[in-house]
C-alpha cells in the first residue's frame, strides 16, 4: 500500500453516552488513497459505531483518530423510514454540493451540472427526476454514491452498501467502487459478508474489539473468522467455512 494516508486510527475506543462498557475498543488501522477496505463484523459488532466515530457524531473514548483527508463522504445504511421524503435523485446528489458551500449560498447551475455529471457517472442519468424513495435499493445506494462524488471527498465511508442489493446491483456497485479507488479515493465499507471482505484490498475484522487487520488472504484465517462471528460458522462438505445467515431484515442501524 503506497497511497497517502487518509485516515489513521490508533488504539481507539468509543462508548455511547451512559453505557457502562465501550461499544468498540482496541482499533488500530489505516486507510490509504486507492484502497478499498472492508469492515467485516456481525450484526451489533460495532461497524456503524465506527462510522459515527469517524464522522464525529460520536466522541472518541480513547486513543487517536487522525482524519487526514480534508473531507469524508458518508453513505449511510439505508433508512426505510425516510423514503417517503419527496426529493428527486438529482436533489439528493445536489446535497453533496450544499455540504461544501458557505451557509449563505444556494446551489446554482454549475452545481446542478456537477450533480447531473455524478448521476451519469453512477449510471443513473435516466432517473434524475425520479423520486428517491421510488428507486430500487441498488439505485438509491448509487444516488448516495453520486452525492458523495459531488462532495468530492477523498475518503468514502459506506455502511453496508451491498445489504439490500440484488446480484446485478451489487456487481454494478462493486465495479463503481473499484473505479473510484483506482482514481485514488480511499474506501471504507462495512459488510457482514465474507465474500465482500475477501474482494477488498484490506479487511478490518471487528466484533466489539478488533480481531484482525490486513490483506484478506493473510488476515481471514479460520480462527479470525470464528472470533469475528463468535463461532457462528458451519462447515461445508468442501471444507470451506460458511457463515450462518444473519437475520436482520428491517434493522435500521
Ligand atoms: N445509539 C446507540 N446508543 C447506545 N448503544 C448503541 C447505539 N447504537 C448502537 N449501539 C450499540 O453498539 C453496539 C454496536 O452497534 P452497531 O455499531 O450498530 O453495530 P453494527 O453496525 O456492526 O451492526 C451494539 O451493541 C448496539 O447495541
Ligand atoms: Mg450497522
Amino acid at each position: 500500500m503506497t497511497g497517502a494516508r487518509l485516515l489513521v486510527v490508533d488504539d481507539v475506543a468509543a462508548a455511547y453516552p451512559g453505557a457502562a462498557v465501550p461499544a468498540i475498543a482496541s482499533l488500530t488501522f489505516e486507510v490509504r488513497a486507492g484502497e478499498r477496505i472492508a469492515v467485516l463484523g456481525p450484526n451489533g459488532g460495532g461497524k456503524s459505531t465506527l462510522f459515527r466515530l469517524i464522522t464525529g457524531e460520536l466522541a472518541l473514548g480513547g486513543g487517536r483518530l487522525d482524519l487526514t483527508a480534508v473531507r469524508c463522504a458518508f453513505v449511510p445504511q439505508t433508512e426505510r423510514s425516510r423514503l417517503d421524503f419527496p426529493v428527486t435523485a438529482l436533489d439528493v446528489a445536489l446535497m453533496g454540493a450544499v455540504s461544501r458551500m458557505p451557509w449563505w449560498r444556494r446551489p446554482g447551475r454549475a452545481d446542478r451540472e456537477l450533480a447531473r455529471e455524478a448521476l451519469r457517472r453512477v449510471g443513473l442519468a435516466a432517473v434524475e427526476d425520479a423520486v428517491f424513495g421510488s428507486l430500487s435499493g441498488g439505485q438509491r445506494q448509487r444516488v448516495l454514491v453520486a452525492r458523495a462524488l459531488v462532495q468530492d471527498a477523498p475518503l468514502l465511508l459506506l455502511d453496508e452498501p451491498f445489504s439490500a442489493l440484488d446480484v446485478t446491483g451489487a456487481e454494478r456497485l462493486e465495479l463503481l467502487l473499484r473505479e473510484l479507488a483506482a482514481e485514488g479515493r480511499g474506501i471504507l465499507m462495512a459488510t457482514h459478508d465474507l465474500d465482500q471482505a475477501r474482494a477488498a484490498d484490506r479487511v478490518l475484522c471487528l466484533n466489539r474489539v478488533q480481531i484482525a487487520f490486513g490483506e484478506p488472504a493473510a488476515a481471514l484465517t479460520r480462527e479470525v473468522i470464528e472470533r469475528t462471528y463468535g463461532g457462528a460458522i458451519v462447515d461445508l462438505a468442501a471444507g470451506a467455512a460458511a457463515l450462518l445467515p444473519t437475520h436482520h431484515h428491517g434493522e435500521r442501524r
Side-chain angles (χ1 to χ4, degrees):
M1 290 300 148
T2 50
R5 283 192 179 84
L6 300 174
L7 173 70
V8 180
V9 171
D10 184 16
D11 198 22
V12 152
Y16 285 97
V21 290
I24 49 177
S26 306
L27 290 177
T28 299
F29 68 96
E30 59 170 17
V31 184
R32 287 175 179 267
E35 67 172 340
R36 290 165 309 124
I37 295 188
V39 181
L40 180 70
N43 211 8
K47 304 181 295 296
S48 295
T49 301
L50 173 60
F51 286 152
R52 284 185 203 118
L53 197 61
I54 298 170
T55 57
E57 197 188 315
L58 189 65
L60 199 63
R64 202 171 54 92
L65 188 147
D66 268 345
L67 189 59
T68 29
V70 271
R71 278 188 300 278
C72 66
F74 184 40
V75 176
Q77 240 169 318
T78 37
E79 290 180 70
R80 303 201 154 272
S81 55
R82 297 193 194 154
L83 289 182
D84 54 356
F85 203 64
V87 292
T88 66
L90 185 64
D91 292 332
V92 173
L94 201 51
M95 285 171 201
V98 175
S99 70
R100 287 189 286 123
M101 279 174 197
W103 59 268
W104 43 264
R105 258 203 63 203
R106 280 158 175 271
R109 272 176 88 95
D111 301 305
R112 293 183 80 79
E113 204 32 62
L114 264 181
R116 286 211 172 85
E117 171 68 39
L119 285 174
R120 267 198 294 278
R121 180 74 210 276
V122 301
L124 291 176
V127 297
E128 66 172 46
D129 292 323
V131 174
F132 182 68
S134 72
L135 300 174
S136 74
Q139 288 174 323
R140 290 201 302 272
Q141 206 67 50
R142 280 185 284 139
V143 171
L144 293 173
V145 172
R147 180 182 67 170
L149 293 180
V150 172
Q151 267 178 276
D152 196 23
L155 178 63
L156 260 67
L157 312 172
L158 300 105
D159 198 353
E160 304 215 20
F162 295 98
S163 286
L165 307 195
D166 57 22
V167 175
T168 317
E171 279 170 359
R172 282 197 84 135
L173 185 63
E174 171 83 29
L175 198 67
L176 178 63
L177 295 181
R178 277 179 192 274
E179 279 175 23
L180 297 179
E183 285 167 12
R185 282 174 229 262
I187 291 171
L188 189 67
M189 52 187 175
T191 180
H192 55 255
D193 183 272
L194 194 51
D195 289 329
Q196 284 298 336
R198 287 203 173 102
D201 298 311
R202 290 200 279 183
V203 56
L204 171 72
C205 296
L206 175 63
N207 188 356
R208 302 253 162 169
V209 294
Q210 180 168 320
I211 311 289
F213 176 61
E215 292 179 17
L220 292 173
T221 62
R222 194 192 162 87
E223 194 220 335
V224 163
I225 296 167
E226 278 179 359
R227 283 171 60 208
T228 302
Y229 284 95
I233 296 189
V234 289
D235 273 313
L236 293 181
L243 298 171
L244 292 172
T246 50
H247 298 287
H248 74 274
H249 298 288
E251 181 228 18
R252 278 185 192 145
R253 289 188 175 274

